[in-house]
Amino acid sequence: MQQAEAVIVERYPQLVRLAYLSLPTSLDRHSRVLRAHRAVQQALRSAGRGSHGGGTGGSTGPGTEDRPDTLTAVRAEVVRRVAGPGRPPLPLPPWVWGLRMWPAAEGLDEIARTLAPLTPACRAAHVLCRLDGLDEAGAVRVLGHAGIRDAAAAVRAALAVPTGPADTSAPTGEAGPYAALPHPAALDAAAVNTRPSDLLRRRNRVRAAWAAIGVLVLAAVLGRAAAGGGPDPTASGPYAGSPAARTALDPARLVRVPAQAWSDTGRVDFTAWPARGSRTGDSALLTRALGTWAAPPEGTAVTISPATPAEPPVHPPHLLYAGDADGPAGAPGGASAVVLLDGDRIVRYVERDGRRRSLDISRVDDAGVTTAAALTLGRTGDTARQLLAPWISTAAERDLGAPAEPVRTLPIDRDGTVLARVPPTDGPCGSRPVLEVASSARIVEKHSFLLADLGGLLPVHLTYTPLAEGAAAVPARQPREATGPAALERWAQEACTLQGVDARAVRSVNLWDFAAADLPENSGRALWSCSRATHWSGQGDVEVRLRPAGGSSVSVARARATAACGRFGQHVLAGTVWSAPSGRPYLLAAGSREVAEIDATGPVRAHASGRSLTAPAPAPAPVPAPAPAPASRPALTARLHSGAVITALDGDRGGRD
């Protein structure tokens, strides 16, 4: 126990860094700092019992294989508490009143955002190898003692994340997170910056006590006078007697941005939106919206996107819109909507007849020109009313499934809204209308992009990465706007794949054509593509599809919560069994541009140099026979030009954070 305590004291900054970077970015920086400290401090007892008391190195002698040395035991216990399988709920943070904390080390949060798409085990392995200096075997040993299944695979995935200058093999060609960072020793997560969070309360404590009575009476009168009598969020519950809560939920204190702020700022996102709509001065409506957010009354339909906190704001939110929710502006009998921005959250409140209410809360982390370009106010039948960003100059509607058809220009009303058709949510995949909008030349010249309404609060940004053929030394293609002829043609072929996208969680979908190969028996050329639906949280869901010449594409593999087919998962391998026109089955496999050779083992044993493999496959079993076990499927691996080895995406594989 004493040795474990000495190790924790000596290595405390590095252990806190390990815990901080392994925690999910769905937590804010303040919470991650406190939870990281608690995880390290709680590691003392278990680590002290589990070690053999050797040195503080990263390896042990042959006689102590089952019991790790003290430092390995401490590291393993920290990893187990924040990333291990069957781990308890995230450790409760120490309570810190009146202060908000975040790491003082520059670059630490850039690394955290880079590692966000990875699993917790991969994040921990990345820190152990890249920042703590362990070799692959040492990292595998730590993860193994932490209870991580397939620790070696987690370490390999962690080492595949680019860390230096721009990696030309990546689909985006962007630099790794360490390109301009100091030495790892300078990345001290235990050193924190602080700022006060409750100056207003401490300054106005006496006056707030007297003002509380007036605020409560006024809120009660407004709530009862309005149709339905919206709830008073400060009258009871955890907000009673809280001056900060009363301030945050006071409609008179809502943040309102000037109308032209977007044209004179370096931050073009939801924070640059002005307050629009015909009812921005309707205090009763705003009070009902804030009250419903703080304490939704019974019968309110509440929708919260994954990994999004639902707590009421602690500061006055930013008012984006208050007015009509659906139908033509000013139409009688329609619904009313209020849209608020609170940090990295968008909240939409909708009411009909003053009583039927709904509340939608969605994440908007790192939104930008394209992902903060529109939001849905409401839907009626087959139309939706979209509120466009103030920097959108023109809007049109096109059928994604019919790229040759002309676009239909949509009029933008004075509040910045348009009425657009929405695709059917069920039934066969047919017409799929999408918005094609253009940014103002004051933001960027000749920039148009596609937004698809998939049924969520926020439309999804569609992009396309074309095929990059030739030598691996050729710079990789980058995702681009899906408005060119080639992009529109490819999206028309894959438009139906959007039906499976989680509209609540996804911010963008990129279609990446990563390989093309000739089919056997002179059957033409097939195109391999990977569509990645990137969530607001940073993780993504992918689907690999094979499109034979002149045929329809078929799904080959899927993976959830993965970095594959993205900025930090640029190396892809996939395979499937395909039947030729003669009826003979073949194993087909293809990899992305860095793949040098492919091997197949199991029922099919084959080797091919280059990015594609074709080999005869066994005939399928008779129909009455049971389905083959997963172990009987061909196993595919590929060696990259760098010497690294990757495995094929498994059609049944999922992921978790």
Side-chain angles (χ1 to χ4, degrees):
M1 185 74 71
Q2 292 179 341
Q3 291 176 335
E5 180 182 12
V7 166
I8 290 177
V9 171
E10 179 184 356
R11 302 287 187 121
Y12 193 77
Q14 295 94 324
L15 295 170
V16 172
R17 181 177 64 193
L18 172 62
Y20 180 84
L21 293 176
S22 300
L23 286 167
T25 55
S26 57
L27 299 171
D28 59 35
R29 295 185 296 176
H30 177 79
S31 298
R32 277 182 281 157
V33 165
L34 298 181
R35 293 174 194 270
H37 281 274
R38 188 178 184 93
V40 173
Q41 293 168 16
Q42 289 182 333
L44 174 61
R45 177 172 298 180
S46 298
R49 292 196 305 262
S51 67
H52 62 66
T56 60
S59 59
T60 60
T64 60
E65 194 64 31
D66 294 330
R67 299 187 63 196
D69 62 88
T70 306
L71 177 56
T72 298
V74 170
R75 282 171 167 159
E77 183 59 24
V78 171
V79 172
R80 188 190 71 81
R81 290 184 174 274
V82 297
R87 61 186 182 276
L90 292 175
L92 290 174
W95 300 111
V96 177
W97 300 103
L99 290 176
R100 300 291 291 178
M101 297 178 161
W102 69 94
E106 294 184 3
L108 206 61
D109 287 307
E110 171 65 20
I111 298 176
R113 285 191 294 271
T114 298
L115 302 181
L118 303 179
T119 64
C122 289
R123 293 196 292 263
H126 184 91
V127 176
L128 291 170
C129 294
R130 300 301 193 192
L131 299 182
D132 290 349
L134 271 67
D135 58 16
E136 185 171 347
V140 169
R141 180 173 172 79
V142 171
L143 296 189
H145 283 288
I148 303 298
R149 293 185 292 272
D150 202 357
V155 173
R156 288 197 301 270
L159 292 175
V161 175
T163 59
D167 184 353
T168 59
S169 67
T172 60
E174 298 186 35
Y178 303 90
L181 295 186
H183 188 274
L187 297 173
D188 184 356
V192 297
N193 291 325
T194 63
R195 67 180 178 190
S197 63
D198 59 354
L199 285 178
L200 182 63
R201 180 178 63 82
R202 286 181 283 171
R203 179 183 177 185
N204 298 327
R205 182 173 303 187
V206 175
R207 286 183 294 173
W210 289 101
I213 298 175
V215 171
L216 291 174
V217 171
L218 176 61
V221 170
L222 289 174
R224 293 302 175 186
D232 174 10
T234 63
S236 61
Y239 316 106
S242 170
R246 287 194 295 274
T247 299
L249 299 173
D250 182 356
R253 294 179 179 269
L254 291 173
V255 177
R256 299 168 188 253
V257 172
Q260 296 300 316
W262 63 270
S263 63
D264 191 25
T265 179
R267 182 177 177 180
V268 185
D269 56 15
F270 285 112
T271 62
W273 281 37
R276 291 175 288 176
S278 59
R279 301 181 66 179
T280 55
D282 189 337
S283 180
L285 173 63
L286 299 177
T287 297
R288 292 196 298 274
L290 291 166
T292 300
W293 185 2
E298 185 177 356
T300 302
V302 179
T303 302
I304 304 172
S305 66
T308 303
E311 291 80 7
V314 295
H315 301 289
H318 174 177
L319 177 61
L320 304 185
Y321 182 85
D324 299 315
D326 50 26
S336 299
V338 175
V339 182
L340 303 166
L341 173 69
D342 178 49
D344 289 338
R345 298 183 296 170
I346 284 279
V347 177
R348 180 187 65 187
Y349 165 81
V350 177
E351 67 176 24
R352 294 181 184 275
D353 307 323
R355 294 186 179 276
R356 290 185 294 161
R357 300 182 176 92
S358 66
L359 191 72
D360 294 85
I361 306 176
S362 178
R363 292 179 64 157
V364 289
D365 307 49
D366 299 321
V369 173
T370 56
T371 50
L375 60 83
T376 303
L377 294 175
R379 297 180 178 85
T380 302
D382 61 350
T383 62
R385 193 164 190 223
Q386 303 281 352
L387 178 63
L388 303 181
W391 57 83
I392 297 301
S393 59
T394 62
E397 183 182 276
R398 71 158 57 247
D399 187 349
L400 193 62
E405 292 186 4
V407 299
R408 182 174 68 92
T409 302
L410 300 176
I412 303 176
D413 70 17
R414 63 182 181 180
D415 290 332
T417 69
V418 296
L419 285 175
R421 293 184 303 131
V422 296
T425 57
D426 53 11
C429 177
S431 174
R432 181 160 290 276
V434 295
L435 282 179
E436 183 171 328
V437 297
S439 302
S440 168
R442 298 166 71 177
I443 296 295
V444 58
E445 294 184 355
K446 300 179 180 180
H447 177 227
S448 61
F449 50 95
L450 297 186
L451 299 174
D453 182 358
L454 303 182
L457 172 58
L458 301 166
V460 173
H461 178 213
L462 303 183
T463 57
Y464 173 63
T465 304
L467 182 66
E469 296 187 281
V474 177
R477 299 287 185 94
Q478 299 184 23
R480 57 197 63 187
E481 301 302 348
T483 52
L488 291 173
E489 181 180 355
R490 283 293 293 124
W491 263 115
Q493 297 168 346
E494 307 294 343
C496 292
T497 61
L498 294 175
Q499 287 184 313
V501 172
D502 185 354
R504 302 170 307 150
V506 172
R507 62 184 294 169
S508 63
V509 179
N510 180 55
L511 176 61
W512 174 29
D513 291 336
F514 67 87
D518 292 328
L519 294 172
E521 300 184 8
N522 297 319
S523 300
R525 196 163 174 81
L527 189 62
W528 295 77
S529 63
C530 181
S531 59
R532 175 180 172 84
T534 300
H535 294 210
W536 287 101
S537 62
Q539 67 185 23
D541 303 332
V542 303
E543 180 181 15
V544 175
R545 299 183 70 86
L546 172 67
R547 184 176 183 83
S552 300
S553 62
V554 294
S555 180
V556 170
R558 298 174 185 263
R560 295 176 53 253
T562 177
C565 303
R567 177 183 176 187
F568 304 110
Q570 67 269 28
H571 306 310
V572 179
L573 174 67
T576 188
V577 175
W578 175 80
S579 294
S582 65
R584 185 175 183 182
Y586 290 88
L587 172 65
L588 305 181
S592 52
R593 57 191 307 277
E594 273 290 305
V595 169
E597 57 186 34
I598 302 174
D599 286 287
T601 57
V604 178
R605 304 188 65 85
H607 171 84
S609 298
R611 297 169 54 187
S612 63
L613 176 147
T614 301
V623 174
S632 66
R633 300 173 183 171
L636 294 168
T637 58
R639 185 179 63 81
L640 307 181
H641 288 285
S642 64
V645 176
I646 63 173
T647 58
L649 280 176
D650 186 346
D652 297 326
R653 189 177 71 84
R656 65 180 182 87
D657 196 3

